[in-house]
Amino acid sequence: MTQVSTIGTAGVKWGETEKQQWLALQAVKRSYFDDVVSQIDALRSEFTVEQYGELAYPELAPATTHYPLFVIKPTVWQADKPTVLVTGGVHGYETSGVHGALAFAKTAAAQYADAFNIVIAPCVSPWGYETINRWNPTATDPNRSFYANSPAQESVALMKMVKELGVDLVAHFDLHETTDSDNTEFRPALAARDAQTHDNWNIPDGFYLVGDSENPQAEFQAAIIAGVANVTHIAPADDKGEIIGAPLEQFGVINYAKTKLGLCGGLSNATYKTTTEVYPDSATATPQECIAAQVAVITSGLGFILQQ
């Protein structure tokens, strides 16, 4: 993506030729099967692991063209319990989202099994994980594609899986990161692809949450911020009182219209929704700290719900 300025004509949206040129620049940097699927397989003695879909990208040949998608569920589903969804890796490059979901499954999910059916999709975008990418191979952002007739296979598969659960979710935790590469790679690529100008280049220094403007649940968000503050620092607002161009709703929290924007966090009518944004490029953050922050989000949120 660092060479994206060489693709296409300035001021003109990309067509299929430009998208293929972009795809040719991408390279596998790590293994979904070694890093993620191996950890999911190790959980089969404690949970039900199901394959809920398979991504097929023939344009990637002769490299890997098929990616199985897995969901982790309780071994015994109890219809009288509320259901919680945890999603990671909707943007595959956001590493702590994937490994935070897995860490929660390994270290904390059992503590909440008596109260909830917990469903975990740890890596929604495996090719994005392998290539450390925000988009899928068709230069589509899955996290702007959660709507009917979606162009993103990743989004279609996840929406189908959630629908087939046949229940209303009480909560959805969608685990993300905001990285310095958003500025150096992904926002420039977005501007080139869509022939648009981007004028907000602020990267918040610290953790923040994105709530749902249609159902903000301010106390729920505040409880999560308080829990995460024990693990990593919370991002302050900028000099305009904003985070990434959105007004601060409360300390560490902004709101988006998630369903309208096609975001993963808006795929359901869950009572409690939050999207995390960990900052792994902080001078003080370690990979383990970022993963721990993601776990703290879920445990703090579930603790709040149990108190209601």
Side-chain angles (χ1 to χ4, degrees):
M1 278 183 135
T2 54
Q3 302 176 54
V4 74
S5 61
T6 67
I7 297 174
T9 302
V12 179
K13 290 185 178 181
W14 287 1
E16 287 306 312
T17 297
E18 289 79 15
K19 291 177 182 178
Q20 286 298 317
Q21 291 172 348
W22 167 82
L23 180 60
L25 296 175
Q26 312 312 310
V28 170
K29 301 177 178 70
R30 56 190 179 182
S31 172
Y32 167 67
F33 296 94
D34 292 346
D35 297 357
V36 180
V37 176
S38 64
Q39 292 193 59
I40 294 172
D41 285 341
L43 294 168
R44 289 181 183 272
S45 63
E46 302 172 57
F47 301 93
T48 294
V49 174
E50 297 177 354
Q51 182 175 334
Y52 69 88
E54 184 170 75
L55 306 176
Y57 287 114
E59 58 266 48
L60 296 178
T64 301
T65 60
H66 288 74
Y67 291 91
L69 298 168
F70 296 101
V71 62
I72 301 163
K73 295 180 177 179
T75 53
V76 178
W77 189 275
Q78 299 189 45
D80 59 331
K81 293 179 182 177
T83 299
V84 172
L85 176 66
V86 178
T87 48
V90 176
H91 287 145
Y93 75 103
E94 296 171 1
T95 304
S96 72
V98 175
H99 292 285
L102 289 168
F104 172 74
K106 288 186 286 187
T107 66
Q111 301 171 29
Y112 301 93
D114 290 340
F116 303 102
N117 294 312
I118 300 178
V119 177
I120 305 169
C123 191
V124 175
S125 298
W127 182 83
Y129 179 87
E130 290 202 326
T131 59
I132 311 183
N133 218 301
R134 187 178 182 89
W135 296 344
N136 70 16
T138 66
T140 301
D141 186 342
N143 200 40
R144 295 297 186 275
S145 303
F146 284 87
Y147 52 79
N149 301 313
S150 171
Q153 296 181 47
E154 299 85 353
S155 309
V156 171
L158 186 66
M159 289 188 290
K160 182 175 182 289
M161 184 273 287
V162 172
K163 182 178 181 180
E164 290 177 351
L165 292 174
V167 299
D168 292 327
L169 301 177
V170 68
H172 179 190
F173 300 89
D174 191 28
L175 310 183
H176 286 256
E177 294 180 343
T178 297
T179 68
D180 288 345
S181 62
D182 287 0
N183 273 358
T184 59
E185 296 189 43
F186 301 117
R187 287 175 182 165
L190 180 63
R193 186 196 68 182
D194 296 344
Q196 295 179 347
T197 300
H198 287 251
D199 55 9
N200 186 344
W201 300 94
N202 292 335
I203 298 291
D205 184 0
F207 176 94
Y208 64 99
L209 291 174
V210 182
D212 188 352
S213 59
E214 301 301 314
N215 181 25
Q217 294 289 347
E219 293 182 357
F220 170 68
Q221 312 293 347
I224 294 173
I225 290 293
V228 174
N230 295 317
V231 178
T232 193
H233 62 287
I234 308 302
D238 62 21
D239 55 7
K240 295 181 180 179
E242 299 175 340
I243 291 179
I244 60 169
L248 199 69
E249 191 274 336
Q250 60 173 300
F251 179 55
V253 182
I254 60 175
N255 290 325
Y256 280 176
K258 293 187 173 184
T259 301
K260 181 179 179 180
L261 291 170
L263 302 179
C264 181
L267 67 79
S268 78
N269 292 319
T271 304
Y272 300 100
K273 306 175 189 177
T274 199
T275 299
T276 69
E277 294 291 352
V278 169
Y279 181 48
D281 296 316
S282 169
T284 63
T286 65
Q288 189 54 48
E289 180 180 305
C290 294
I291 291 169
Q294 302 282 21
V295 175
V297 167
I298 307 168
T299 57
S300 299
L302 293 179
F304 175 86
I305 294 169
L306 288 172
Q307 292 174 359
Q308 303 311 298

